[in-house]
Amino acid sequence: MPATPLEISPIRARHLWLSAQRLLEPAPFGAGSQAVKAATEHLGYVQIDTINVIERSHHHILQTRIPDYTRADLAAAQSVDKSVFEYWAHALAYIPTADYRYFAPDMRQTRDNPPAHYAAIDRRDYTALLRRIREEGPLSIRDIDDEVLVEKEHLWASRKPSKRLLNFGFYNGDLTVSARDGMLKVYELTDRHFGWDRRPRPATPAQVADYLLRRALRSQGVVSLDSICYGNLPLKAEVLPLIEKAVRARRLAPVVITGAEKVPHWAEPAALEAAGPPVPANLVHILSPFDPLVIQRKRLEAIFGYVHRFEAYVPAAKRVLGYFALPVLVGEEIVAALDLKTDRQADRLLVQRWTWIAPERPDLKAAIEEALDRFQRFQLAPQATAPSVLTA
């Protein structure tokens, strides 16, 4: 490959990204808990979020790539196979257990130099909590009912002081989330949960940088320094020398995307030379706003020409797309954004706002409505088999 940057169109960059995200194939990972493992390992992480006007983001992201996905598949991967675990990526996420060592440095940092909100905890109380879990088994915050409640420090805080102790144990690696019931987490001793005599050795900064580069190339196709280090910007200084070395060795090729020339990009020569999978004409994905394709907003705009607005915290009068708008991908183009809400009592998926990004066409509308039908069956599977889609 030439040392000078290769110019590619946004359409070519889009194809590389969608192919890497496995969104050009109907069922790239199979089914069951092994599909959850395979999808999470390929993507690197699956973001968790609490908003549930529709199904929560972690289930939604997996169902986008695993059409036969059930919530039990993720539960089995987390609690039975133990092939995924929860920790902080750029946000709270499911992460492959095989990658645990790359997150162990952050755990060690929290343990050795705790942030201010953990520095003040009573270590005797923390030791007593670990002893209780060791003796009684895994527990959730609901199992702790013998403490004096305090005022909340912020909207998402708990009135139970033990919540901070559980969080400290989670972030320093002593505890892991062994199971979930919705957003209720069950905590277990990490070593006992995974059956480890010794935890994986923490990666060095150079190894973490190499991991971030490999993860981005695998799941993004064409990468920038920002996209590689999303959520971990301090490691840019470690990642850039790896990129430069790979370019000199011709394992990476510099790339310029037309219209985004100010941002250097790179790709593997084999990816640039391959044709990639064909674009299915009517393959429709209703994407979560936390999907890895959507979450990096500047990258999405540069490559797709689409500006996504997350407006859950925007005053209603100022919303453009709606409270919880979902981009709709048809083939290689984002053609619409749908503000959806699940009415679980009435077994209905409500389309509260439909915004066309591309010119409206009858064939597009029909394909999206068919995808909405499938999406709705996933949303309401526990309550109903085939409810109808209504427009509010």
Side-chain angles (χ1 to χ4, degrees), residues 20 27 43 51 109 118 169 196 217 256 281 312 348 376:
L43 297 172
I51 295 177
Q109 175 68 17
Y118 293 137
W196 289 338
L217 288 167
V256 167
R348 295 171 179 172
Q376 178 180 249

Side-chain angles (χ1 to χ4, degrees), residues 236-258:
K236 281 185 176 183
E238 294 276 355
V239 171
L240 186 55
L242 294 180
I243 293 173
E244 293 169 342
K245 181 179 179 181
V247 169
R248 289 194 299 270
R250 305 208 174 190
R251 296 193 304 272
L252 283 183
V255 171
V256 167
I257 300 174
T258 306

